[in-house]
């Protein structure tokens, strides 16, 4: 194996939670409300079982070859040629996913906080700790998640509790007044825009210390992140209503700006930004690490560290070139990204499971003929 470090189950669980919430903290309410309107919170809750099913399928695929990563499973099941092509498709997905997370950080910082700072400066400052984290390996990333994940949870709880005095149930009415097609579209968005992107964890499951409750803890961590995002959608709707929630670019950050308790506890949007940057940092770092590791496995290299710096430079270039501004990104990239999430997290894993099943049955029938 290229990696000798091992993650504990707790560290992997925390990384699952951070990847789940990731950049979704700021953009998830707008994604779900775009079709769900005032019923988006119901759609978000209904999307949780679907998302857990997707994650269970990913874990089921891992259990077919527990010692192999996703890239290696593709090559093993489909052969060196077709498997390598599919693995290259996953690697492209990982590097673009990392670039999108990086670009979201750049757009957020240059439009909300550092208004006069060039976006390339922000991208460079954010990518340096990512490269440092990947170079230090999984063990360091896992230990960092144990330190920083509680900060994300505490800041999110402060946000949800701080805006409760400004919520109004009337903004959720009329309930279930949205068309069924729009509700289904919102449910699919809620399931795959968050749970679907956990496909990157399939690259690191072989490096988790074996435990019987790994699947349970991973599913619970993802469910906890999903419930947190659902609560965020519900609170956003009760404070701003569906129209502003749908069209607000960074609705959670705007939500934090509304907090004012006794003219004393207010202006905590910096804490919201910190929580989002921490979770997005871990998500983008895992995507970059998954790309570097998969690239090394695809070309059967002796180590992955020489690939870190070129991959980081590629991610930086993709983040700059992915779109001229946030409007283009929202209108062009995001609709296509949902279809990509469905393909890589559901359709292809089901296909790989089917291939494994057919090959297993054929091997079993051959063994029966030999014994008979």
């Amino acid at each position: 194996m290229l990696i000798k470090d091992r993650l504990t189950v707790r560290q992997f669980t925390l990384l699952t939670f951070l990847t789940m919430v990731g950049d979704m903290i700021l953009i998830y309410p707008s994604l779900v409300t775009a079709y769900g309107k005032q019923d988006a919170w119901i759609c978000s809750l209904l999307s949780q079982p679907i998302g857990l099913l997707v994650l269970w399928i990913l874990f089921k695929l891992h259990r077919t070859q527990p010692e192999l990563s996703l890239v290696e499973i593709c090559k093993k099941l489909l052969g060196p040629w077709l498997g390598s092509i599919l693995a290259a498709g996953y690697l492209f997905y990982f590097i673009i996913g990392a670039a999108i997370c990086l670009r979201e950080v750049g757009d957020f910082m240059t439009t909300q906080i550092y208004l006069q700072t060039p976006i390339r400066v922000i991208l460079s400052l954010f990518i340096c700790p990512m490269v440092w984290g990947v170079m230090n390996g999984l063990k360091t990333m896992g230990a960092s998640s144990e330190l920083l994940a509680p900060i994300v949870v505490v800041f999110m709880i402060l946000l949800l509790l701080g805006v409760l005095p400004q919520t109004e149930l009337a903004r959720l009415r009329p309930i279930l007044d949205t068309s069924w097609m729009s509700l289904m579209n919102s449910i699919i968005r809620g399931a795959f825009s968050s749970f679907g992107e956990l496909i990157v964890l399939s690259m690191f499951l072989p490096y988790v210390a074996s435990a019987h409750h790994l699947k349970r803890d991973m599913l619970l961590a993802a469910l906890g992140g999903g419930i947190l995002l659902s609560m965020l959608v519900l609170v956003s709707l009760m404070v701003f209503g569906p129209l502003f929630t749908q069209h607000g670019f960074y609705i959670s950050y705007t939500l934090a700006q509304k907090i004012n308790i006794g003219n004393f506890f207010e202006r905590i949007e910096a804490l919201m930004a910190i929580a989002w940057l921490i979770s997005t940092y871990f998500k983008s770092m895992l995507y970059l690490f998954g790309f570097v590791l998969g690239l090394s496995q695809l070309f059967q290299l002796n180590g992955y560290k020489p690939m870190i710096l070129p991959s980081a430079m590629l991610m930086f270039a993709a983040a700059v070139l992915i779109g001229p501004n946030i409007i283009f990104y929202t209108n062009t990239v995001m609709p296509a990204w949902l279809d990509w999430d469905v393909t890589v997290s559901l359709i292809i894993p089901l296909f790989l499971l089917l291939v494994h099943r057919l090959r297993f049955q054929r091997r079993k029938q051959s063994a029966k003929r030999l014994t008979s």
Side-chain angles (χ1 to χ4, degrees):
M1 285 189 177
L2 293 175
I3 300 178
K4 296 182 179 179
D5 295 337
R6 286 293 181 272
L7 290 169
T8 65
V9 176
R10 179 173 65 179
Q11 290 171 346
F12 183 77
T13 300
L14 292 174
L15 287 174
T16 301
F17 173 79
L18 290 172
T19 307
M20 177 70 188
V21 296
D23 57 333
M24 292 291 114
I25 292 179
L26 284 188
I27 66 175
Y28 183 82
S30 300
L31 286 175
V32 180
T33 312
Y35 288 90
K37 307 304 179 183
Q38 71 275 2
D39 298 317
W41 65 279
I42 300 176
C43 298
S44 182
L45 290 175
L46 293 177
S47 70
Q48 305 305 308
I50 300 175
L52 291 177
L53 176 62
V54 171
L55 193 56
W56 179 82
I57 292 173
L58 300 182
F59 188 83
K60 194 75 173 176
L61 178 62
H62 159 70
R63 294 307 301 170
T64 61
Q65 305 288 339
E67 72 284 357
L68 302 181
S69 70
L70 179 62
V71 168
E72 294 171 321
I73 289 176
C74 292
K75 295 177 65 177
K76 176 115 179 158
L77 293 180
L78 302 178
W81 290 102
L82 185 58
S84 297
I85 293 174
L86 183 58
Y90 270 112
L91 295 182
F92 183 66
Y93 173 80
F94 292 154
I95 193 64
I96 295 298
I100 284 180
C101 290
L102 182 63
R103 179 55 184 264
E104 287 174 347
V105 171
D107 286 331
F108 171 74
M109 298 297 285
T110 53
T111 57
Q112 302 296 323
I113 301 177
Y114 299 110
L115 304 182
Q116 302 299 322
T117 304
I119 190 172
R120 289 174 175 80
V121 175
I122 301 296
L123 299 181
S124 301
L125 291 175
F126 194 74
I127 204 172
C128 287
M130 288 174 55
V131 172
W132 182 253
V134 175
M135 290 184 66
N136 280 276
L138 276 180
K139 190 175 182 179
T140 302
M141 292 169 59
S144 300
S145 68
E146 291 180 296
L147 179 65
L148 297 175
I151 297 178
V152 176
V153 175
V154 170
F155 286 174
M156 289 301 299
I157 292 176
L158 283 177
L159 169 67
L160 295 175
L161 294 179
V163 296
L164 281 181
Q166 303 184 43
T167 58
E168 294 183 15
L169 290 174
R171 294 192 174 99
L172 300 178
R173 301 191 186 105
I175 297 177
L176 295 179
D177 190 51
T178 313
S179 67
W180 287 105
M181 288 298 297
S182 297
L183 290 176
M184 289 301 300
N185 202 327
S186 182
I187 291 172
I188 293 173
R189 279 173 170 256
F192 288 97
S193 62
S194 52
F195 286 93
E197 296 185 358
L198 295 179
I199 183 65
V200 70
L201 297 177
S202 300
M203 295 296 299
F204 306 104
L205 276 169
Y207 307 105
V208 181
S210 59
H212 297 294
H213 51 85
L214 173 60
K215 179 175 70 173
R216 180 200 67 187
D217 290 354
M218 182 175 68
L219 292 175
L220 287 177
L223 179 61
I227 291 175
L228 182 63
L229 293 176
S230 298
M231 293 298 297
L232 193 58
V233 173
L234 177 61
V235 170
S236 299
L237 289 172
M238 289 194 296
V239 173
F240 292 118
L243 184 62
F244 192 85
T245 301
Q246 174 186 350
H247 295 287
F249 285 123
Y250 307 113
I251 193 65
S252 302
Y253 184 76
T254 309
L255 203 63
Q257 293 176 326
K258 295 280 290 182
I259 295 177
N260 186 353
I261 301 178
N263 292 325
F264 173 74
F265 187 71
E266 59 181 346
R267 306 297 296 178
I268 67 164
E269 60 269 16
L271 301 182
M272 183 67 220
I274 291 172
W276 180 72
L277 288 173
I278 290 174
S279 59
T280 306
Y281 167 73
F282 277 98
K283 182 175 181 177
S284 55
M285 184 166 55
L286 283 177
Y287 268 89
L288 176 61
F289 202 170
F291 175 78
V292 171
L293 180 61
L295 198 63
S296 303
Q297 293 170 343
L298 181 62
F299 293 104
Q300 298 180 352
L301 303 180
N302 294 326
Y304 66 87
K305 290 191 176 181
M307 304 300 298
I308 295 177
L309 188 57
S311 300
M313 296 175 66
L314 178 63
M315 181 179 66
F316 178 85
V320 173
L321 298 175
I322 205 165
N325 50 53
I326 189 174
I327 304 296
F328 177 88
Y329 165 78
T330 304
N331 295 336
T332 306
V333 177
M334 288 307 297
W337 189 258
L338 177 65
D339 298 334
W340 209 358
D341 282 337
V342 175
T343 303
V344 301
S345 63
L346 180 63
I347 297 176
I348 295 179
L350 285 176
F351 170 70
L352 292 175
L353 283 174
L354 178 61
V355 172
H356 175 266
R357 183 68 177 175
L358 294 176
R359 294 186 64 176
F360 177 77
Q361 288 181 347
R362 186 182 304 172
R363 195 180 305 124
K364 191 175 180 180
Q365 292 174 356
S366 301
K368 283 183 178 180
R369 293 194 195 99
L370 291 175
T371 55
S372 60

